[in-house]
Amino acid sequence: MPKLDHLRPSGLHHNPAYSHVVTATGARTIYISGQVSVDEEGRIVGEGDLAAQTTQVMQNLGHALKAAGASYANIVKITTFVVNYKPELRPIIGKARSAFFEGMEPPASTLVGVSALAAPEWMIEIEAVAVAD
């Protein structure tokens, strides 16, 4: 397992939902393309339901991590893109996403509101960077 340090810099508010800084030492860096809410056959999952789409996206990240010999614990940074983002959507995303980081320090994270994704039914897309041995 790589060595990950989740730093809590003085002067920055500690938010339990994400880490401001993560340093990683490991042999491999894994870059995972933005995942969207589709199943193995390419069918939309959770159309119109942000929580369901977030859960599917996180499950898809898990499949990608497993293929690379890694797990959610190896993620050092995620970037989340949300269509027509409004602050009241953040708790919905956070609740669905946090289940996948239960019992561990969360990765560094950025959330970006966008006007659209590549398909009109997609509400959220998440990309990740992980470090593994």
Side-chain angles (χ1 to χ4, degrees), residues 43-61:
R43 295 180 299 240
I44 184 75
V45 174
E47 189 163 358
D49 183 338
L50 182 58
Q53 286 202 17
T54 303
T55 298
Q56 181 66 41
V57 166
M58 292 301 296
Q59 289 171 347
N60 290 351
L61 282 173

Side-chain angles (χ1 to χ4, degrees), residues 18-63:
Y18 66 91
S19 297
H20 284 287
V21 180
V22 179
T23 64
T25 305
R28 293 185 304 127
T29 303
I30 303 160
Y31 298 92
I32 301 172
S33 293
Q35 297 298 303
V36 294
S37 187
V38 295
D39 65 14
E40 191 172 7
E41 283 77 41
R43 295 180 299 240
I44 184 75
V45 174
E47 189 163 358
D49 183 338
L50 182 58
Q53 286 202 17
T54 303
T55 298
Q56 181 66 41
V57 166
M58 292 301 296
Q59 289 171 347
N60 290 351
L61 282 173
H63 294 309

